[in-house]
Amino acid sequence: MTTEEIKQSVSALFPDVTYDEAGEFLNVLTDSKGLKPLMQALRRNSEFDFDYLFCLTCIDWKTHLTMVYHMLSKSNNHTVVVKAKIADVNTPEIETVCDIWETANFHEREVFDLFGVKFINHPDLRRIFLDEDWEGFPLRKNYVDENMIEI
Amino acid sequence: MKLILDISFSSFATGIHQWLVGAVHSEGLVKVIEMVIAGLALLVFLVPLCFILGYMERKVAAFIQVRLGPNRVGPKGTLQIVADTIKLLFKEGLTPNASDKFLFNLAPMIVVVTSMLVMAPIAFAKNFQIWDISIGVLYVSSISSIAVIGILMAGWSSNNKYSLLGAMRSGAQIVSYELSVGLSLISIVILAGSLRMSDIVMSQENGWWIFKGHIPVLISFVIFLIASTAEINRAPFDLAEAEQELTAGFHTEYSGMKFAMFLLAEYINLFVVSAIAATLFLGGWMPFHIGHWHTFNFVMDYIPSSVWFLGKTFAIIFIIMQFRWTFPRLRVDQLLTLEWKYLLPVSMVNVILVTVMAIMGWHF
Amino acid sequence: MSLLGEDIVTEDGEFVINIGPQHPSTHGVLHLKVWLDGETIKRIQPHLGYIHRSIEKMSESLSYRNFIYATSRMDYLSAHINNQACALCVEKGLQVEVPERAKAIRILMAELTRLSSHQLWWGCTGLDLGAVTPFFYAFRERESIMAIMEETCGARLTQNYCVPGGVMYDIHPNFRNRVKDTLKQIRSKFNEYEEILTGNVIFEQRTKGVGYISAEDAISFGCTGPTARGSGVSCDVRKLFPYDGYEKLQFKEILEQGGDCYARYMVRMAEMKQSVFIIEQLIDNIPEGEFQAKTKMVLKLPKGEFYQRVETARGELGVYIVSDGAASPYRIKYRSPNFSNLSALERMATGTKIGDLVAIMSTIDLVIPDVDR
C-alpha cells in the first residue's frame, strides 16, 4: 500500500488520528487511550498486516512523553510509525502491545526501566537492565544522578 | 642379543624374589616385602606415566589444532607438566563451607585408588605382572565400577547444583556403558577360555585376537573403545564435566591437589583402559608375528616385550586422544540412546556370534 | 544435610540453576535463571543489565561526531557496521553525499567484519558443543582479517573507521594485496570447516531439530539476521533496504527453512561465502576519488527524526535519532539485533535439555554488550 492508501484506510477506521509526513516514514499520531485499538487493527487487518514491530521506544519531550512504534509489514512491505502521546509525565501509563507482538515484551520492559512508563496488562513488568531498587528513570530529561561529575 | 633379554623386567623381578627368599627365610615376610615393593614400583611408574600422558595430550591437541603446544619450560616444553603439578600442589585446597566435608575429601581418594587398583592384573611384560589373579577380567570390570561411587560422592558432597547434575549424568553414563564394556570383554574371554590375563595373552601366541577373531572381534574392539571412552568420562562423552554446560561438572568445587587427583585418575584410567584393550585384543606383550615368515618373526621377538605392550597401549591412547580433540560432545539423552539402542544390542548379538565361532572353532 | 535445604530445590520442588553471569557458554555476562526437571528445561528467565552502560544516555551528551565511537562497544564483533549505521544516519540528516570510494571502502570493511565475526561464531559454536579444535581453526583465519583491520583502521576490534561523510583515512597501500591473500586463504579453508564440524554425525544430532522457532514467531519476536533467516524469514537489510551501494552488488540472501540450530548454522556458513563473494567483486573496483565528503566541523542535524538500519553480523541494527537542531542528539535509540533475538530464547529453549540450551545460545550468536548497551 502507498502512504496515501494507508492514510485513507486508517482514517476510515479511526477518524481521530492525525498524520505527520515530514520524515522518512508515515507517522500516525494518536494518544495513549487510542493506541491499543489502532495497533490491533494495524496488526490484524490483512490490508495492513504489520507483523514486524522493529523498533519500540519512548521520547521524553519534558512536557509529555511520546511512545514510538516502528512497524513493517513483511507481506505488504510497507512501513508505518505510530506515535502515542502520553500527557501525564508524573505517572505515565499506556496499554501494552506485547500480546500483539512478542518482541514488545522486552522492549516495553526497557522503556519501563529507563523512562518509567507503566504498561497496563504487561505480564512481567520489571526493570530489565537496572537493579530492582534503582531510583529514577535515567533516560528522562529531568533525571539527576548525584554521583555524576560534570567535566 | 642375550643381554637385552636378560635385563628384561621378568628376570629383574625373579632376581629380587630369589634374593629376598635367600635373605629373609620366611615366606610370609617375603610376600609382604614384595607387596610393598610392587606398590612402590607402581607409584613410581604412575608419576612419570601421568607426566608423559599429560604432555602427550597437550602435544596431540596442539598437533590437531595447528598450534605448537607447550614449548617453553624445559626442552620442547617437556617440563611444563612438572610446573603445572607444582602449581597444583601449592594451590589452596578449598573445601566449601556447606559441603559434606568428610565425603568431599574422601571422593578424590576413592577415584584415584580404584583406578590404581585396576593396574594390578595388567601384564606389563612377559611374566611381569603385579598380581596374576585367576579372575583378571572380572576383577578389572568390577573394580573400575567403584569409581562411579567416588564421582557421585564428589558431586553430592560439593553441595553445588552443577556438581550434582554432573554426578548424576556420570552415574547414568558409567552404569550404562559398563554393560557394553563387559560384553565386549566377555567375547574375548569366550575365545580365550579364561579370565586370567596371562592366559588371555598366551592364547594370542599364534596371532592377536583382533586378527584371529574375524569381524565379531573387530566389532567388540570398536565397541570397547567407544564404551570405555565413555566409562572414563572423556570427550566426546565427557558429559559429567561438560565445561560449556556445567562449568566443570562434578569437580566444580575442587581445587589444588584434590582437583589434581581427579586429573591423575583420568590419566590412569586412560592408560588402564588402553592397556586392557591392548592386552585383550592386540596380544598384550606378544610380538607381532606373521604366519611362517620365520626371519621376520625372529626379528620381532628381539624387541622387548615391555616395548610391545607400551607401544600398543600408547597407540590406543593416541586414538582416544584424537576422539577428544575432534568430536563435539553428545547430549545426555543421545548418550544413553547410543548405549541402550545401538551398542548394547549390537554387542549382545556379537557375543552370540563369538560364542558360535568359539564352539565351532572357526577362528584361527 | 544441607542439600535437602531450600537452596537446591525450591519450595514447590523445582530445581533452579543460575547459568551465568559467569559461565563458559554465555560468552559474556548473561544471566539465565533456568527451571529444570531433571535435564529438561521447564522455564528460562534472562536477567540482563550486567554490562549496561546506557550508551543511549551517553550519546545524548556527545556530539554527532563523537557518539559513533560509543557504538563500537555495543556489538564489538561488528563494530565497524555499528559505526557505519550511525554515520549513515547522521548523513541522512545532513543530506551529505558520500563519495563512491568511501562507500566501497565501507562495504569492504563491513564484509570483512562480518567474515571475522562469523568465524569467531563458528569457533565458539564448536567450543560450545564440546569440540575445541574449530576454535583454533577459526582464529587462524580471523587473525589475518584482524591484521588487515589494524593496518588500515589502526585498531583490530573497535575500528572507529567510519565518520559522517565517509571514512577517517584512505586505505593502506597494502590493503588490496592483503585482502586478496586473505580471501585466498579463507576460500581454501572452507572445506576444512565443513569437514571438521558440519559433516560430523554428533554435530548434526546436536543441532538438527533443536531450538525450533517458526517463521511467524521469529517475526513476532523481532528476530533478524541469521536467526530469522534460519526460519525462512527474508530480512536481509542489504537486500530489502540497500545502503552504501549494496544494490549494485551481486549476492544472495541465504534462507533456510529448518528453523532449528542446524538451519541457523547453515545460514551463517553460507553467508561467509557470500561475504567473500562481495569482497571479491569490490576489491579490484574501488573507485578513485575522495574518501571523505567535506563536512562542517560541528555537525548539527536539522530538527526531525532519522532512522537508519543496517545488517550487522547478527541482524538488523536500527539507529533512531531524534534531533532538536542542537549539536548533540536529543534522543537516540539503538534497536540492537541481539536484544530482540535474545527474547526468543525462551520460546526456543523451553522443553529442551541443558546441552541444547548451549547449542541454541551459540547459534543465536549473542553478544551481551549489544543486549545490554
Side-chain angles (χ1 to χ4, degrees), chain B residues 14-138:
Chain B
T14 327
I16 290 177
H17 179 72
Q18 277 162 358
W19 179 76
L20 273 175
V21 169
V24 182
H25 300 297
S26 155
E27 218 173 285
L29 201 59
V30 168
K31 271 241 145 60
V32 171
I33 294 172
E34 276 181 358
M35 273 186 210
V36 171
I37 292 174
L40 284 175
L42 190 65
L43 282 179
V44 169
F45 170 69
L46 282 179
V47 174
L49 175 75
C50 289
F51 281 6
I52 291 168
L53 285 177
Y55 181 69
M56 181 176 163
E57 174 120 87
R58 282 150 178 248
K59 279 293 185 191
V60 169
F63 168 66
I64 294 173
Q65 295 170 349
V66 289
R67 58 192 174 90
L68 292 171
N71 63 352
R72 285 290 181 274
V73 189
K76 299 262 173 204
T78 37
L79 294 179
Q80 180 66 50
I81 203 86
V82 179
D84 286 355
T85 313
I86 292 170
K87 183 201 81 173
L88 281 170
L89 272 171
F90 280 99
K91 269 194 157 183
E92 187 184 359
L94 286 169
T95 308
N97 230 350
S99 66
D100 187 318
K101 292 189 180 56
F102 176 66
L103 292 181
F104 186 80
N105 292 318
L106 186 64
M109 309 286 175
I110 287 182
V111 174
V112 170
V113 167
T114 48
S115 56
M116 283 183 182
L117 277 177
V118 185
M119 296 280 254
I122 290 170
F124 288 93
K126 198 174 185 176
N127 298 328
F128 186 75
Q129 227 170 328
I130 295 169
W131 187 21
D132 194 11
I133 184 173
S134 60
I135 49 159
V137 175
L138 187 64

Side-chain angles (χ1 to χ4, degrees), chain A residues 21-130:
Chain A
E21 285 176 84
E24 188 182 354
F25 308 117
L26 168 68
N27 286 357
V28 181
L29 310 179
T30 180
D31 57 5
S32 54
K33 289 273 184 306
L35 176 82
K36 190 72 184 242
L38 173 66
M39 294 301 245
Q40 267 162 347
L42 288 176
R43 172 72 186 91
R44 305 226 161 106
N45 287 16
S46 58
E47 52 173 345
F48 302 127
D49 193 26
F50 286 104
D51 50 1
Y52 174 35
L53 177 75
F54 62 88
C55 187
L56 187 162
T57 188
C58 182
I59 305 167
D60 180 12
W61 290 111
K62 290 175 188 157
T63 52
H64 63 273
L65 295 171
T66 305
M67 288 296 300
V68 186
Y69 303 83
H70 287 69
M71 281 168 286
L72 180 92
S73 167
K74 288 272 179 199
S75 50
N76 304 331
N77 203 19
H78 48 218
T79 311
V80 75
V81 181
V82 172
K83 287 188 179 165
K85 186 176 164 185
I86 308 176
D88 186 358
V89 185
N90 296 321
T91 52
E93 275 189 344
I94 197 161
E95 278 274 334
T96 178
V97 294
C98 70
D99 50 337
I100 311 176
W101 296 277
E102 307 255 19
T103 183
N105 187 334
F106 268 38
H107 279 95
E108 285 182 352
R109 277 180 68 190
E110 187 191 339
V111 170
F112 169 72
D113 193 356
L114 304 176
F115 285 93
V117 177
K118 190 163 174 277
F119 290 92
I120 302 158
N121 296 333
H122 190 285
D124 184 25
L125 198 63
R126 289 176 294 121
R127 282 192 181 270
I128 192 164
F129 292 141
L130 306 178

Side-chain angles (χ1 to χ4, degrees), chain C residues 57-173:
Chain C
K57 180 83 178 173
M58 277 157 62
S59 302
E60 283 178 15
S61 56
L62 292 172
S63 76
Y64 283 110
R65 282 194 191 281
N66 291 343
F67 86 96
I68 294 176
Y69 307 131
T71 60
S72 297
R73 277 80 186 169
M74 278 170 19
D75 183 354
Y76 50 82
L77 292 177
S78 18
H80 175 84
I81 312 181
N82 295 353
N83 299 159
Q84 194 183 4
C86 297
L88 279 164
C89 197
V90 174
E91 283 154 14
K92 198 180 248 179
L94 291 172
Q95 296 186 323
V96 176
E97 194 52 48
V98 181
E100 289 298 315
R101 185 178 176 81
K103 285 184 179 175
I105 295 171
R106 278 183 185 179
I107 291 184
L108 277 171
M109 284 297 176
E111 294 307 316
L112 283 173
T113 307
R114 196 183 316 279
L115 255 180
S116 74
S117 166
H118 280 359
Q119 267 161 353
L120 183 86
W121 156 83
W122 181 76
C124 288
T125 301
L127 200 63
D128 284 348
L129 295 174
V132 188
T133 307
F135 193 69
F136 293 92
Y137 281 34
F139 265 69
R140 179 184 54 191
E141 273 79 63
R142 187 170 182 266
E143 188 56 36
S144 50
I145 297 180
M146 291 286 107
I148 295 172
M149 294 288 186
E150 190 177 7
E151 200 174 53
T152 291
C153 313
R156 287 158 61 86
L157 203 63
T158 51
Q159 289 98 352
N160 299 336
Y161 188 49
C162 278
V163 293
V167 291
M168 198 174 265
Y169 309 106
D170 206 352
I171 47 173
H172 194 272

Side-chain angles (χ1 to χ4, degrees), chain B residues 41-245:
Chain B
L42 190 65
L43 282 179
V44 169
F45 170 69
L46 282 179
V47 174
L49 175 75
C50 289
F51 281 6
I52 291 168
L53 285 177
Y55 181 69
M56 181 176 163
E57 174 120 87
R58 282 150 178 248
K59 279 293 185 191
V60 169
F63 168 66
I64 294 173
Q65 295 170 349
V66 289
R67 58 192 174 90
L68 292 171
N71 63 352
R72 285 290 181 274
V73 189
K76 299 262 173 204
T78 37
L79 294 179
Q80 180 66 50
I81 203 86
V82 179
D84 286 355
T85 313
I86 292 170
K87 183 201 81 173
L88 281 170
L89 272 171
F90 280 99
K91 269 194 157 183
E92 187 184 359
L94 286 169
T95 308
N97 230 350
S99 66
D100 187 318
K101 292 189 180 56
F102 176 66
L103 292 181
F104 186 80
N105 292 318
L106 186 64
M109 309 286 175
I110 287 182
V111 174
V112 170
V113 167
T114 48
S115 56
M116 283 183 182
L117 277 177
V118 185
M119 296 280 254
I122 290 170
F124 288 93
K126 198 174 185 176
N127 298 328
F128 186 75
Q129 227 170 328
I130 295 169
W131 187 21
D132 194 11
I133 184 173
S134 60
I135 49 159
V137 175
L138 187 64
Y139 172 88
V140 166
S141 56
S142 53
I143 293 291
S144 63
S145 61
I146 296 176
V148 70
I149 298 176
I151 290 175
L152 280 173
M153 218 181 244
W156 174 260
S157 64
S158 298
N159 196 14
N160 177 315
K161 294 174 186 180
Y162 287 117
S163 301
L164 190 61
L165 270 175
M168 289 302 153
R169 281 180 173 191
S170 174
Q173 178 182 338
I174 293 179
V175 168
S176 326
Y177 276 84
E178 238 158 40
L179 295 166
S180 286
V181 172
L183 284 172
S184 52
L185 290 179
I186 279 174
S187 61
I188 296 299
V189 170
I190 290 167
L191 287 170
S194 172
L195 287 164
R196 192 189 286 269
M197 286 288 187
S198 56
D199 288 352
I200 292 172
V201 176
M202 289 314 288
S203 72
Q204 305 179 62
E205 203 169 7
N206 55 346
W208 306 347
W209 279 121
I210 199 154
F211 300 128
K212 290 202 295 181
H214 305 294
I215 292 167
V217 172
L218 204 64
I219 293 172
S220 40
F221 179 64
V222 172
I223 289 177
F224 181 81
L225 269 190
I226 298 173
S228 56
T229 311
E231 221 194 322
I232 58 175
N233 278 331
R234 273 183 76 87
F237 306 104
D238 61 340
L239 287 126
E241 49 194 274
E243 194 201 334
Q244 283 74 27
E245 294 158 31

Side-chain angles (χ1 to χ4, degrees), chain C residues 39-279:
Chain C
E39 285 262 343
T40 313
I41 294 165
K42 282 160 74 185
R43 211 178 121 204
I44 295 184
Q45 204 176 56
H47 287 256
L48 312 175
Y50 284 89
I51 195 160
H52 177 64
R53 291 159 291 185
S54 204
I55 291 180
E56 292 174 12
K57 180 83 178 173
M58 277 157 62
S59 302
E60 283 178 15
S61 56
L62 292 172
S63 76
Y64 283 110
R65 282 194 191 281
N66 291 343
F67 86 96
I68 294 176
Y69 307 131
T71 60
S72 297
R73 277 80 186 169
M74 278 170 19
D75 183 354
Y76 50 82
L77 292 177
S78 18
H80 175 84
I81 312 181
N82 295 353
N83 299 159
Q84 194 183 4
C86 297
L88 279 164
C89 197
V90 174
E91 283 154 14
K92 198 180 248 179
L94 291 172
Q95 296 186 323
V96 176
E97 194 52 48
V98 181
E100 289 298 315
R101 185 178 176 81
K103 285 184 179 175
I105 295 171
R106 278 183 185 179
I107 291 184
L108 277 171
M109 284 297 176
E111 294 307 316
L112 283 173
T113 307
R114 196 183 316 279
L115 255 180
S116 74
S117 166
H118 280 359
Q119 267 161 353
L120 183 86
W121 156 83
W122 181 76
C124 288
T125 301
L127 200 63
D128 284 348
L129 295 174
V132 188
T133 307
F135 193 69
F136 293 92
Y137 281 34
F139 265 69
R140 179 184 54 191
E141 273 79 63
R142 187 170 182 266
E143 188 56 36
S144 50
I145 297 180
M146 291 286 107
I148 295 172
M149 294 288 186
E150 190 177 7
E151 200 174 53
T152 291
C153 313
R156 287 158 61 86
L157 203 63
T158 51
Q159 289 98 352
N160 299 336
Y161 188 49
C162 278
V163 293
V167 291
M168 198 174 265
Y169 309 106
D170 206 352
I171 47 173
H172 194 272
N174 290 341
F175 182 75
R176 272 202 192 87
N177 290 332
R178 283 190 88 144
V179 170
K180 277 181 195 164
D181 289 347
T182 306
L183 288 195
K184 215 157 127 199
Q185 186 196 353
I186 289 170
R187 268 207 183 281
S188 67
K189 300 296 183 196
F190 276 138
N191 285 341
E192 224 169 58
Y193 290 10
E194 306 273 331
E195 270 170 33
I196 194 160
L197 206 57
T198 317
N200 192 302
V201 185
I202 300 175
F203 176 77
E204 285 187 5
Q205 289 223 329
R206 283 293 303 275
T207 49
K208 274 190 179 160
V210 169
Y212 175 77
I213 187 157
S214 65
E216 291 75 42
D217 278 348
I219 295 172
S220 180
F221 274 109
C223 295
T224 47
T227 312
R229 289 199 282 280
S231 301
V233 180
S234 166
C235 60
D236 195 332
V237 181
R238 294 174 294 171
K239 277 276 180 208
L240 299 176
F241 308 99
Y243 52 92
D244 266 350
Y246 270 110
E247 64 275 9
K248 292 178 212 152
L249 295 165
Q250 301 281 318
F251 66 100
K252 278 197 216 108
E253 179 179 10
I254 311 294
L255 290 179
E256 290 273 340
Q257 303 301 328
D260 53 2
C261 288
Y262 190 72
R264 295 192 279 274
Y265 174 86
M266 292 312 279
V267 168
R268 285 206 174 82
M269 292 306 272
E271 266 187 16
M272 279 200 244
K273 288 178 188 157
Q274 292 298 321
S275 289
V276 170
F277 186 51
I278 292 175
I279 299 170

